[in-house]
Amino acid sequence: MTPRPTIMDVARTAGVSSATVSRVINGATTVDKELSRRVQAAVKDTGYVPNALGRSLRRGGTSQIAVVAPDAENPYFTQIISQVERIARERNHSVTVAHTEDQLALEQECFAQLVSRHVSGVLLVPVDSVRTDLGPLTEAGIPVVLVDRGVDGAPTDVVATDNLDAGRQAAHHLYERGFRFPVVVAGPPDLRTTEDRATGFLAAWRGLGVGVGESALLRGDLHVESGRALAQQLLAAGDADCLYVTNNRMSAGAFEALRGAEDAPALLATDDDLWTRLVTPSVSVVHQPVRATSRAAARMLGQRMASPDEEPSTTLLRSRIIERESTMPRDRGVRRPSA
């Protein structure tokens, strides 16, 4: 069977970019008339059939959008998917969900499948802030909105938490409660979300006049086990009086290690997951605005699908501290590093 012509075939035939083809097909009026004629001729020559789903938004019909997240078990991403599905139903869209398991190879396979399915738009939590390649989606003319994480140099809409500010808030919260020997647990250095939280946290402590060195930064792999192991390491060293964990699953592991331990450091976790309210002691958190993030991302994708020529924008939303028992000021004296 002869392969079905793609938007890339049209672009090559017309000698233009796939984005230009997409704009012509979607009725944009800002495309040069000569380029528009070349695209229309190429569509006819190749036999390309434009994706009806991609244009149905204008007519009030049903379109298919995809939500791509890295971890099916992470409550934060589960909440994003749930919120987007609710919004999509209200707007007569169907939703496809895919998970990349934080692997670049799986991410690229996922992109290829979405292109073959002619989805109308993608809400993406990218695997890597540097190495994720959006080319397969953008070259196919599929609008993309990045959620939670950006991709360096990508001219794409982004909706995320202001992570530097989240880290600064975390530092000030702990400082104001009398803690003076902080440690932060971040993820891999190429994951911009946890890296920015750690950077903001450490910079804020220095701004408050508290010296923090290399030992104040520990790195995990975003999973429960690494959070548990790093907290056990911290307990054994006995040098810290407070711990900020920049990812929700590592936060859970850290709590497991610290719970019931004598002279354990205060714990400030990330995300207001259900367990943080139910355990004893209850856990203070840096709460990300997941509902507002989801709604803003869905709204932005709808705008991008309707108006592909608009300049991309970045929306940063502010976290807030929810104080519970785990960071309450201690009656005992401030813990001092061991000699």
Side-chain angles (χ1 to χ4, degrees):
M1 294 180 63
T2 302
R4 180 178 176 178
T6 68
I7 197 169
M8 290 302 298
D9 295 324
V10 177
R12 280 191 292 268
T13 301
V16 299
S17 69
S18 59
T20 297
V21 175
S22 177
R23 289 195 293 271
V24 172
I25 290 173
N26 285 294
T29 60
T30 56
V31 181
D32 178 82
K33 291 183 179 180
E34 175 57 28
L35 291 182
S36 180
R37 282 194 292 269
R38 281 162 51 186
V39 169
Q40 292 167 0
V43 168
K44 183 177 180 180
D45 291 344
T46 60
Y48 174 72
V49 178
N51 178 15
L53 289 176
R55 298 190 294 173
S56 62
L57 185 67
R58 295 179 184 274
R59 300 192 296 266
T62 300
S63 61
Q64 183 182 34
I65 62 175
V67 182
V68 182
D71 188 347
E73 298 180 359
N74 189 314
Y76 178 72
F77 299 132
T78 301
Q79 289 181 67
I80 287 178
I81 292 168
S82 176
Q83 289 293 326
V84 170
E85 286 181 323
R86 184 175 295 111
I87 296 166
R89 284 195 298 270
E90 294 171 356
R91 300 179 181 180
N92 203 29
H93 303 325
S94 62
V95 178
T96 294
V97 177
H99 295 98
T100 59
E101 305 301 331
D102 264 321
Q103 297 180 34
L104 285 168
L106 287 179
E107 186 177 62
Q108 287 300 298
E109 289 179 15
C110 175
F111 291 170
Q113 292 174 6
L114 295 178
V115 170
S116 68
R117 294 178 185 177
H118 299 284
V119 298
S120 301
V122 175
L123 291 171
L124 169 67
V125 183
V127 168
D128 193 284
S129 299
V130 177
R131 295 176 294 167
T132 287
D133 179 12
L134 302 177
L137 298 176
T138 57
E139 289 171 4
I142 298 174
V144 180
V145 172
L146 302 180
V147 185
D148 186 60
R149 308 171 182 174
V151 174
D152 290 355
T156 309
D157 299 302
V158 181
V159 178
T161 301
D162 187 339
N163 292 303
L164 285 168
D165 176 72
R168 289 191 291 264
Q169 286 190 60
H172 282 275
H173 172 79
L174 294 168
Y175 180 87
E176 290 165 4
R177 279 141 192 83
F179 302 103
R180 292 298 183 270
F181 300 98
V183 168
V184 58
V185 172
D190 55 358
L191 182 61
R192 194 58 46 76
T193 49
T194 62
E195 193 69 5
D196 282 353
R197 290 167 195 161
T199 298
F201 182 76
L202 296 174
W205 280 104
R206 295 184 184 109
L208 291 165
V210 177
V212 289
E214 293 183 2
S215 61
L217 173 62
L218 302 178
R219 292 197 182 278
D221 65 2
L222 308 180
H223 296 289
V224 172
E225 292 76 13
S226 69
R228 184 188 303 118
L230 290 170
Q232 289 170 343
Q233 173 185 323
L234 198 64
L235 278 174
D239 292 343
D241 64 0
C242 60
L243 173 63
Y244 169 44
V245 187
T246 60
N247 151 275
N248 57 358
R249 301 191 72 191
M250 292 192 297
S251 295
F255 175 81
E256 283 187 308
L258 299 179
R259 179 172 52 181
E262 184 178 354
D263 210 25
L267 174 63
L268 181 58
T270 293
D271 290 339
D272 189 24
D273 294 340
L274 180 61
W275 70 267
T276 63
R277 289 165 266 163
L278 300 181
V279 296
T280 302
S282 56
V283 179
S284 300
V285 299
V286 181
H287 172 60
Q288 297 189 84
V290 60
R291 189 169 297 180
T293 298
S294 303
R295 298 197 71 86
R299 182 170 59 252
M300 189 171 287
L301 182 61
Q303 293 171 348
R304 179 62 54 198
M305 290 161 61
S307 304
D309 293 330
E310 289 185 6
E311 288 294 319
S313 63
T314 296
T315 300
L316 295 180
L317 302 174
R318 197 166 192 263
S319 299
R320 62 186 176 91
I321 304 289
I322 299 177
E323 182 176 14
R324 299 193 179 104
E325 295 169 335
S326 67
T327 60
M328 286 185 177
R330 310 295 169 84
D331 293 333
R332 56 178 170 78
V334 175
R335 189 176 192 171
R336 298 290 176 184
S338 57

